[in-house]
Amino acid sequence: MDVLRILLAILLPPLGVFLQVGIGLHFWLNILLTLFGYVPGIIHAIWVIIRK
């Protein structure tokens, strides 16, 4: 299941974070990072998925 979340995190970083932790601080932070730049959003999403 983590492989699917990582693939979704690469395509749509907030979706990968949402599937891992739901709507919370990490979700909103990831949306903000993705708006500032696609790559920071991906890095944060993969970090959240691997960490949990």
Side-chain angles (χ1 to χ4, degrees):
M1 189 66 173
D2 282 344
V3 175
L4 177 62
R5 286 187 193 129
I6 290 174
L7 289 175
L8 287 173
I10 292 170
L11 297 174
L12 294 168
L15 180 60
V17 173
F18 173 75
L19 291 175
Q20 184 70 27
V21 296
I23 294 179
L25 175 66
H26 286 291
F27 175 74
W28 294 111
L29 178 61
N30 190 267
I31 287 179
L32 186 65
L33 287 170
T34 303
L35 289 175
F36 283 134
Y38 189 66
V39 174
I42 292 173
I43 292 170
H44 177 258
I46 291 174
W47 177 75
V48 167
I49 292 168
I50 290 174
R51 186 176 61 100
K52 295 245 176 191

